Amino acid sequence: TVAAVPASSARPSGAAGLLVDELAVRGIVRTEGAYVAMVAGPSKQTFTVRAGTKLFDGTVRAITADAVVITQQVTDPLSLQKQREVRKPLRVQEEGK
């Protein structure tokens, strides 16, 4: 299991208040030699994140041309792993749709 979902008022504002499981990648651009991703949460508000950006239950580890890689904190006391890597792909629309 991962961190319990706190009340929305307990979360910080911005990308720091997003849970990894509720994050969706909306776009990825390359700027100044590094990738930057636009991500959205359940409220559909969009935030810009870079490698190293802190989220509520994880940290953006890397951004590639087609995905955002996040290190998520695991809070299950029975789990041997304290972190897991989550890959959130950029959803490219299929041609013809």
Side-chain angles (χ1 to χ4, degrees):
T1 61
V2 293
V5 178
S8 60
S9 61
R11 291 199 212 175
S13 61
L18 291 177
L19 291 170
V20 173
D21 292 336
E22 65 188 19
L23 179 140
V25 179
R26 297 291 181 223
I28 297 175
V29 295
R30 186 172 177 91
T31 178
E32 299 176 14
Y35 286 106
V36 177
M38 282 70 71
V39 299
S43 67
K44 306 297 184 212
Q45 186 174 5
T46 303
F47 303 99
T48 303
V49 297
R50 299 174 183 270
T53 300
K54 302 273 186 208
L55 304 173
F56 194 79
D57 62 343
T59 303
V60 176
R61 188 171 69 79
I63 301 173
T64 64
D66 62 349
V68 176
V69 181
I70 302 166
T71 302
Q72 184 179 29
Q73 302 303 315
V74 178
T75 58
D76 182 358
L78 300 177
S79 175
L80 296 176
Q81 291 184 324
K82 299 302 175 196
Q83 296 179 335
R84 70 179 183 136
E85 186 175 284
V86 178
R87 184 175 172 87
K88 295 282 190 168
L90 175 62
R91 304 223 187 274
V92 179
Q93 295 216 355
E94 297 174 345
E95 290 183 24
K97 284 194 172 188

